[in-house]
């Protein structure tokens, strides 16, 4: 394991000193390997000139890596008050570059924290709220995102759903939404033993970059279409989309009513949403 090069104590010592046992209720799984946190930070480069938003920094392993890799400013949102003294110690090591906000990331206006600077979101997201946070950020201002990239850790299964293409087993509502608004790819996996405590699943680092010009589409209508289509994914679209117009709707834009939801491209879902 890499030792700190920033003059701060090793993470295990910090956690022991502050009695920071990870709490399951907060979805906490701490990363102690500074080689790994540095790898995640490098994956998000360049960081110089950017404000980096981090969710759930915990004892600050990734926070330290982001600052060491040159992030101009890091805004860390942490709901566990036990972690605040540790983050204060990091802030003192990097004066003026780390702002810590105590609060629930689901309730914080992330876009409002940016002060007009270009933003990257880099985070080892708590498993229990990761998907909802991603959806919130993707849809915050469709076509005019406040972020220039997101480099995020999810359970591998969620990562596969985010990057899934039509025809893939994991393709569904999340894949359509992410594919409409962003280019998404899995960069690398992180094994359970990298964490304390080790989760039961492998994790993946997913990177999303916004599309320059997403297809014209109304978010609310797209959600209605994908909910209906994937809600009965084993049925033909003529049946699953019956409440929205069924066969007539599909034929009006040239989609075979006998197809199933997982065969439709993002472009076809957007066309359906426009036709609803």
């Amino acid at each position: 394991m890499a030792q700190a090069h920033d003059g701060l104590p090793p993470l295990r010592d910090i956690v022991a000193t502050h009695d920071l046992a990870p709490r399951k209720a907060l979805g906490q799984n701490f990363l102690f390997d500074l080689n790994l946190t540095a790898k995640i930070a490098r994956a998000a480069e360049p960081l110089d000139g950017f404000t980096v938003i981090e969710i759930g920094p915990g004892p600050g392993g990734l926070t330290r890596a982001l600052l060491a890799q040159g992030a101009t400013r890091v805004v860390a949102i942490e709901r566990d008050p036990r972690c605040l003294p540790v983050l204060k110690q990091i802030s003192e090591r990097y004066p003026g570059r780390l702002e810590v906000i105590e609060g629930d990331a689901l309730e914080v206006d992330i876009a409002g924290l940016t002060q007009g600077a270009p933003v990257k979101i880099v985070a080892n997201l708590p498993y229990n709220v990761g998907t909802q946070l991603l959806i919130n950020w993707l849809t915050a201002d469709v076509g005019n995102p406040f972020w220039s990239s997101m480099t995020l850790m999810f359970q591998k299964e969620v990562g596969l759903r985010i990057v899934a293409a039509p025809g893939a087993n994991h393709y569904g509502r999340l894949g359509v939404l992410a594919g409409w608004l962003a280019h998404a790819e899995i960069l690398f996996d992180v094994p359970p033993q990298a964490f304390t405590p080790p989760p039961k699943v492998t994790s993946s680092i997913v990177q999303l970059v916004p599309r320059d010009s997403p297809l014209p589409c109304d978010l609310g209508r797209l959600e209605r279409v994908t909910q209906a289509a994937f809600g009965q994914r084993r049925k033909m679209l003529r049946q699953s989309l019956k409440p929205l117009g069924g066969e007539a709707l599909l034929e009006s834009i040239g989609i075979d009513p006998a197809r199933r939801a997982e065969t439709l491209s993002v472009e076809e879902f957007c066309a359906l949403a426009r036709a609803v």
Side-chain angles (χ1 to χ4, degrees):
M1 184 189 297
Q3 294 304 310
H5 300 299
D6 52 15
L8 292 164
L11 287 170
R12 288 187 188 281
D13 293 359
I14 286 176
V15 166
T17 302
H18 293 269
D19 195 22
L20 274 180
R23 286 188 176 161
K24 192 173 182 180
L26 297 176
Q28 288 175 330
N29 299 86
F30 293 158
L31 277 177
F32 287 152
D33 187 339
L34 295 176
N35 286 321
L36 186 53
T37 56
K39 184 178 180 181
I40 296 168
R42 284 196 303 272
E45 288 182 329
L47 300 174
D48 185 21
F50 288 88
T51 290
V52 178
I53 308 287
E54 185 191 3
I55 310 301
L62 181 56
T63 316
R64 288 162 61 170
L66 292 166
L67 290 161
Q69 296 295 132
T72 299
R73 174 171 171 253
V74 175
V75 179
I77 300 167
E78 178 56 68
R79 62 180 294 196
D80 183 354
R82 301 177 305 151
C83 297
L84 300 182
V86 180
L87 297 169
K88 184 172 185 288
Q89 196 176 359
I90 300 170
S91 179
E92 288 166 355
R93 169 61 185 82
Y94 293 97
R97 290 174 58 199
L98 174 61
E99 178 183 349
V100 180
I101 295 172
E102 183 181 2
D104 185 337
L106 286 169
E107 297 169 3
V108 175
D109 174 19
I110 306 283
L113 302 174
T114 60
Q115 300 179 0
V119 168
K120 294 187 174 185
I121 307 176
V122 187
N124 166 20
L125 294 176
Y127 283 161
N128 50 2
V129 294
T131 306
Q132 187 57 55
L133 286 170
L134 173 65
I135 292 170
N136 291 354
W137 298 331
L138 277 171
T139 59
D141 189 357
V142 170
N144 186 32
F146 68 92
W147 46 277
S148 61
S149 74
M150 297 194 276
T151 305
L152 306 171
M153 190 184 299
F154 297 94
Q155 294 179 54
K156 184 169 184 175
E157 185 184 342
V158 175
L160 290 170
R161 285 169 49 208
I162 295 165
V163 305
N169 287 340
H170 288 86
Y171 186 57
R173 295 169 63 190
L174 188 57
V176 173
L177 183 66
W180 171 41
L181 296 172
H183 301 277
E185 64 174 321
I186 292 178
L187 300 184
F188 54 89
D189 291 341
V190 181
Q193 57 268 29
F195 297 90
T196 300
K200 293 184 173 67
V201 293
T202 296
S203 302
S204 294
I205 300 293
V206 181
Q207 190 161 70
L208 299 101
V209 177
R211 292 192 181 275
D212 291 334
S213 46
L215 292 163
C217 185
D218 176 78
L219 173 63
R221 290 182 185 183
L222 181 65
E223 287 181 332
R224 282 171 60 203
V225 168
T226 54
Q227 187 169 8
F230 287 108
Q232 303 181 67
R233 64 187 300 150
R234 295 188 186 281
K235 294 189 175 178
M236 294 180 189
L237 289 166
R238 66 158 59 94
Q239 186 65 33
S240 60
L241 294 182
K242 215 169 193 175
L244 301 178
E247 203 152 330
L249 171 71
L250 290 154
E251 288 178 344
S252 72
I253 54 172
I255 294 177
D256 180 355
R259 288 172 65 186
R260 289 179 168 80
E262 67 267 17
T263 71
L264 261 59
S265 67
V266 173
E267 291 78 8
E268 287 173 314
F269 272 114
C270 288
L272 275 171
R274 289 194 296 274
V276 165

